[in-house]
């Protein structure tokens, strides 16, 4: 499912909203999560999961083709931890 | 804002001012952009998260452009060990969600601007 399909599915279930509104709603949610992570904040959505930012220290990497060492700067990476309820829903019942 | 350090700053993540964003903040963001009531905004946050969750649980990947994708991976049975007692335990086959952040998200988290996406702050 891609974003436009997500918008369509939600719009179908909420006939009182224009598809355009649903699109704005989905974007507002994703933007808010992105902005929080940009500030270094954690986003905790009970039952769904939590987004956080992890720091990766600078390290000496290697060009896999030439074997040459290259300096890799310190960077931040986004991380998602699945919520408890999601984990249970994924694994109970047949699959 | 809650954190005045630029994302590249070494103390960025160690800042004590870092906070936790919740559903209420997402509902507030929806409230600000769409002409819905606060209650309806909260309902829509639930609807969006619910739709994403049931799609993933149904085994379908969810790809949200310029944000990231959620994919399901099936793990086989394996033998694990209780790290505290050292006792071997069988870990049953299970399904896990893997979130793959988009390049846009990764760049923004590292303080970069992304073409076509205005950074409001």
């Amino acid at each position: 499912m891609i974003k436009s399909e997500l918008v369509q599915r939600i719009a179908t279930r909420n006939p009182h909203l224009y598809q355009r509104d649903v699109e704005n709603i989905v974007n507002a949610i994703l933007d808010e999560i992105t902005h929080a992570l940009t500030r270094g904040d954690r986003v905790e959505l009970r039952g769904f999961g939590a987004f956080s930012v992890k720091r990766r220290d600078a390290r000496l990497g290697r060009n896999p083709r030439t074997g040459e060492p290259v300096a890799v700067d310190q960077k931040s990476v986004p991380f998602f931890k699945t919520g408890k309820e999601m984990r249970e829903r994924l694994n109970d019942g047949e699959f | 804002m809650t954190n005045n350090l630029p994302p590249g700053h070494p103390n960025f993540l160690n800042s004590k001012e870092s906070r936790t964003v919740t559903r209420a903040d997402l509902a507030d963001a929806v409230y600000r952009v769409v002409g819905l009531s606060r209650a309806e905004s909260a309902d829509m946050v639930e609807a969006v998260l619910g739709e994403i969750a049931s799609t993933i649980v149904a085994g379908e990947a969810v790809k949200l452009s310029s944000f990231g994708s959620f994919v399901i991976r099936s793990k086989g049975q394996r033998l694990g060990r209780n790290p505290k007692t050292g006792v071997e335990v069988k870990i049953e086959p299970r399904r896990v969600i893997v979130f793959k952040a988009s390049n846009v998200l990764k760049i923004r988290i590292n303080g970069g601007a992304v073409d076509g996406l205005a950074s409001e702050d």
Side-chain angles (χ1 to χ4, degrees), chain B residues 81-102:
Chain B
R81 214 176 262 281
N82 181 329
K84 208 168 285 182
T85 62
V87 178
E88 267 194 359
V89 279
K90 193 164 81 182
I91 297 174
E92 298 297 333
R94 67 210 163 98
R95 298 192 303 172
V96 296
I97 300 174
V98 179
F99 174 69
K100 223 179 148 293
S102 74

Side-chain angles (χ1 to χ4, degrees), chain A residues 1-3 5-6 9-10 13-14 16-17 21-22 24-26 28-48 51-55 74-80 82 86-87 89-91 94-95, chain B residues 1-3 7-8 10 12-14 18-23 25-26 29-30 32-34 36 44-45 47-49 51-57 60-65 67 70 72 93-95 97 99 101 105-106 108-110 120-121:
Chain A
M1 177 173 77
I2 60 173
K3 202 200 278 181
E5 294 165 328
L6 171 66
R9 289 185 200 184
I10 294 165
R13 273 183 215 168
N14 294 273
H16 60 294
L17 295 175
D21 290 333
V22 177
N24 288 334
I25 289 167
V26 169
I29 292 170
L30 298 179
D31 284 351
E32 185 67 16
I33 297 173
T34 301
H35 279 127
L37 295 176
T38 305
R39 296 191 299 263
D41 289 347
R42 185 184 150 79
V43 181
E44 200 175 295
L45 306 168
R46 289 286 157 89
F48 184 80
F51 296 91
S52 59
V53 179
K54 292 195 169 182
R55 208 180 90 177
Q74 168 219 302
K75 64 179 173 185
S76 298
V77 293
F79 177 76
F80 176 75
T82 308
M86 273 290 266
R87 223 166 43 227
R89 281 177 69 188
L90 279 168
N91 292 301
E94 75 300 341
F95 60 87
Chain B
M1 274 302 120
T2 50
N3 190 331
F12 178 62
L13 293 179
N14 303 329
S18 154
R19 61 182 283 262
T20 299
V21 168
T22 64
R23 277 181 167 73
D25 299 285
L26 300 189
V30 169
R32 278 180 269 125
V33 295
V34 195
L36 295 177
M44 289 314 293
V45 169
V48 171
L49 294 178
E51 192 65 48
I52 295 174
S54 13
T55 303
I56 298 171
V57 169
E60 192 185 341
V62 177
K63 296 179 184 181
L64 305 169
S65 74
F67 184 74
F70 299 92
I72 286 214
R94 67 210 163 98
R95 298 192 303 172
I97 300 174
F99 174 69
L105 181 59
K106 286 184 199 164
R108 299 196 69 180
I109 282 174
N110 285 284
E120 300 99 292
D121 42 23

